[in-house]
Amino acid sequence: MSAGERIDSKKAPEPVGLYPHARRVGNLLFLSGVGPRERGSKAIPGVELDAQGNIVSYDIETQCHSVFRNVRYILEDAGSSWDRLVDVTVYLTDMKKDFPTYNRLWAEYFKDNPPCRTTLEINRLPTPIAIELKCIATIGDT
């Protein structure tokens, strides 16, 4: 049995490991974890790092806009769209501080057709980011 069609976006940031941006299986599109980084750069929108690569400060609003844009890039490159998201798992590194801003922006981005959502606080992510999304969307005729 096939693991599904591999999808690699030309606009989303390069993965930080050996995995695709997404896989299509039937009429479902499974996205790998997506963060706010920008393609072709080590810089992270809204993040200031010290010389050792530790976070000095970050702007969760800037990161949210960037991660939502990256998810949209992958969806569109795969032939799906923002309104076809059905389930999103969100990882935040500081729930208490960042949830109000993230939740407000979520409501703006998904005001017409919100997908199911789970939000978790985790200790850290593989790169110095404060948010990552794991998404499932539909694709094709549904």
Side-chain angles (χ1 to χ4, degrees), residues 7-25:
I7 308 290
D8 292 302
S9 173
K10 299 297 182 207
K11 295 181 271 185
E14 299 85 349
V16 296
L18 182 61
Y19 56 87
H21 284 115
R23 282 208 179 268
R24 178 185 181 159
V25 180

Side-chain angles (χ1 to χ4, degrees), residues 6 12 52 87:
R6 180 184 175 121
Q52 291 75 40
D87 189 53

Side-chain angles (χ1 to χ4, degrees), residues 92 94-105:
L92 296 174
D94 190 335
M95 185 76 74
K96 184 176 181 181
K97 179 178 155 199
D98 297 337
F99 185 83
T101 300
Y102 142 75
N103 201 42
R104 175 180 51 81
L105 292 170

Side-chain angles (χ1 to χ4, degrees), residues 2-78:
S2 171
E5 174 189 356
R6 180 184 175 121
I7 308 290
D8 292 302
S9 173
K10 299 297 182 207
K11 295 181 271 185
E14 299 85 349
V16 296
L18 182 61
Y19 56 87
H21 284 115
R23 282 208 179 268
R24 178 185 181 159
V25 180
N27 71 338
L28 293 176
L29 186 66
F30 298 87
L31 276 64
S32 295
V34 180
R37 294 179 304 112
E38 293 181 340
R39 185 166 189 86
S41 172
K42 297 288 185 194
I44 301 166
V47 176
E48 180 185 348
L49 302 174
D50 65 17
Q52 291 75 40
N54 299 308
I55 298 172
V56 174
S57 66
Y58 69 91
D59 177 355
I60 191 63
E61 185 159 351
T62 299
Q63 287 196 43
C64 286
H65 288 300
S66 185
V67 74
F68 291 158
R69 181 174 48 251
N70 288 337
V71 167
R72 188 179 305 263
Y73 286 156
I74 296 167
L75 293 169
E76 291 172 356
D77 283 351

